[in-house]
Amino acid sequence: MSLLDLCLQGLAVFGFILFGVLWLMHFMSIIYVRLHLHRKRSEVKGQMAGVSLLKPLKGVDPNLISNLETFFTLDYPKYEVLLCVQDQDDPAVDVCKKLLGKYPNVDARLFIGGKKVGINPKINNLMPGYEGAKYGLVWICDSGIRVKPDSLTDMTNQMTEKVGLVHGLPYVADRQGFAATLEQVYFGTSHPRSYISANVTGIKCVTGMSCLMRKDVLDQAGGLVAFAQYIAEDYFMAKAIADRLAR
Ligand SMILES: *[C@@H]1O[C@H](CO)[C@@H](O)[C@H](O)[C@H]1NC(C)=O
């Protein structure tokens, strides 16, 4: 057999195994989600812990206002919305002001200017909000996320005594255009497949897009400042919290 044949055969075997593993991960994920993540609407159980929502904002897209609005209509007894914008001239400031005006009864504040503590722009932007946060749980949640009224209840219900971090696995809403469709396919298949398979096999793997954390544990690890030196702050936060709870 020639070397070329050998290489091609090797490649074919490799491709076949990869194909099999991906399908296995896919089925495993579907079964896990069906069994564990399909629950009825979450009810607020007794005393819920207060939550400080931190929203890093930069720029405006056509969906920003309707996405953000879902956080003003959460069905949750005790939370505050801390909107953080780095730049005074950012058009996101107007969007925030509109919502603050529309929902005067929601405990919400706008922080402009950030605070430079490191190389990570998201952390710099969030610093003033974090310092002003008054509740024991902080929820860092990206600007592109939208939620249902019971999403926060669902997340805090998972925050039992031994848990330091709860994250959400996002999926993409229907939008127009090729890029949006591509993103929807990715977030409906490949992205959750790897996260759920990691979870099922016991690998700690966190998506930082929507993350609820215990503030005291984060503060023990040095607070938000400690993560400003990293670009992948979500990974390091998750690791620091896991390390602390494992002790
Ligand atoms: C997997 O997910 C469950 C909740 O569905 C969580 O309690 C558990 O800690 C996760 N495991 C890992 C290794 O992240």
Side-chain angles (χ1 to χ4, degrees):
M1 216 189 321
S2 78
L3 188 64
L4 181 67
D5 281 342
L6 210 63
C7 285
L8 286 178
Q9 265 187 22
L11 208 63
V13 170
F14 174 75
F16 190 72
I17 292 175
L18 186 69
F19 177 80
V21 169
L22 288 179
W23 270 106
L24 193 73
M25 284 166 68
H26 216 108
F27 278 121
M28 203 160 73
S29 303
I30 291 172
I31 293 168
Y32 180 84
V33 167
R34 187 67 224 150
L35 292 179
H36 295 277
L37 302 181
H38 275 260
R39 298 217 193 93
K40 291 215 191 73
R41 197 179 185 286
S42 297
E43 297 295 332
V44 175
K45 291 186 206 150
Q47 274 265 307
M48 297 303 272
V51 175
S52 299
L53 165 66
L54 286 171
K55 268 276 163 196
L57 300 170
K58 186 173 173 39
V60 170
D61 63 62
N63 301 308
L64 180 67
I65 190 154
S66 82
N67 286 340
L68 264 187
E69 190 164 6
T70 61
F71 292 86
F72 285 79
T73 53
L74 280 168
D75 184 10
Y76 195 81
K78 206 158 92 185
Y79 76 102
E80 57 175 351
V81 181
L82 308 172
L83 305 160
C84 302
V85 184
Q86 181 76 47
D87 221 5
Q88 182 83 53
D89 308 322
D90 195 312
V93 170
D94 287 334
V95 171
C96 294
K97 285 187 177 158
K98 237 184 235 166
L99 288 171
L100 293 175
K102 186 169 173 189
Y103 295 95
N105 297 327
V106 174
D107 183 3
R109 275 178 290 162
L110 173 61
F111 296 86
I112 300 173
K115 180 173 171 189
K116 187 151 175 59
V117 289
I119 56 161
N120 185 314
K122 179 171 162 185
I123 301 280
N124 290 342
N125 184 10
L126 289 178
M127 270 323 284
Y130 184 80
E131 286 172 349
K134 62 179 171 215
Y135 292 125
L137 297 176
V138 287
W139 183 18
I140 299 185
C141 185
D142 287 356
S143 61
I145 302 283
R146 57 190 298 127
V147 286
K148 293 189 177 153
D150 69 335
S151 294
L152 184 53
T153 310
D154 205 8
M155 288 178 85
T156 47
N157 278 342
Q158 304 290 327
M159 189 59 94
T160 51
E161 214 158 287
K162 287 217 172 78
V163 176
L165 180 151
V166 175
H167 64 134
L169 203 53
Y171 59 92
V172 175
D174 292 334
R175 280 176 302 157
Q176 292 293 317
F178 178 71
T181 307
L182 203 64
E183 200 181 21
Q184 189 169 34
V185 169
Y186 173 71
F187 275 91
T189 54
S190 175
H191 183 261
R193 174 176 63 203
S194 27
Y195 279 94
I196 295 164
S197 305
N199 180 282
V200 174
T201 49
I203 299 168
K204 287 194 194 74
C205 193
V206 169
T207 57
M209 279 175 263
S210 171
C211 240
L212 184 69
M213 292 169 275
R214 282 190 195 281
K215 192 160 186 277
D216 58 344
V217 182
L218 210 52
D219 283 337
Q220 278 167 35
L224 208 54
V225 179
F227 302 96
Q229 55 176 314
Y230 304 117
I231 289 297
E233 81 289 342
D234 45 356
Y235 166 77
F236 290 99
M237 282 183 197
K239 187 173 179 310
I241 289 176
D243 290 349
R244 258 154 202 85
L245 290 180
R247 280 195 202 137

